[in-house]
Amino acid sequence: EQICDALVDVLDPVACAVVMKDITHSCVAIRGVKSEDATTTSSVLRGAFIKEPDARAELFSLINSI
């Protein structure tokens, strides 16, 4: 959220998205399930990506094709 907020503050875009794929949370690797191979995807959206479902669908379609 901080990355997206900073981009919005500086650039004032119509939309902003930050997506982190295959990230590891240290709390999962060190505590709890203790799974070093567990990964997750985290995202935050602002502007048109929240208000316009077609824009959001296109964004995630492009991300999932990578």
Side-chain angles (χ1 to χ4, degrees), residues 26 44 50-51 56 62 65:
S26 60
V44 62
I50 294 174
K51 298 174 185 173
R56 183 174 50 254
L62 291 168
S65 70

Side-chain angles (χ1 to χ4, degrees), residues 3 10 12 15-16 64-65:
I3 294 168
V10 172
D12 193 28
C16 183
N64 288 328
S65 70

Side-chain angles (χ1 to χ4, degrees), residues 1-20 42-52 55-60 63:
E1 288 185 5
Q2 291 173 330
I3 294 168
C4 196
D5 290 342
L7 289 170
V8 169
D9 288 344
V10 172
L11 302 174
D12 193 28
V14 173
C16 183
V18 174
V19 178
M20 297 182 292
S42 183
S43 66
V44 62
L45 307 175
R46 300 283 188 265
F49 289 129
I50 294 174
K51 298 174 185 173
E52 298 179 25
R56 183 174 50 254
E58 181 178 358
L59 169 70
F60 283 111
I63 290 170

Side-chain angles (χ1 to χ4, degrees), residues 13-36:
V14 173
C16 183
V18 174
V19 178
M20 297 182 292
K21 291 179 71 169
D22 299 328
I23 57 175
T24 302
H25 285 282
S26 60
C27 60
V28 174
I30 298 170
R31 303 186 316 241
V33 296
K34 296 184 180 177
S35 175
E36 294 178 15

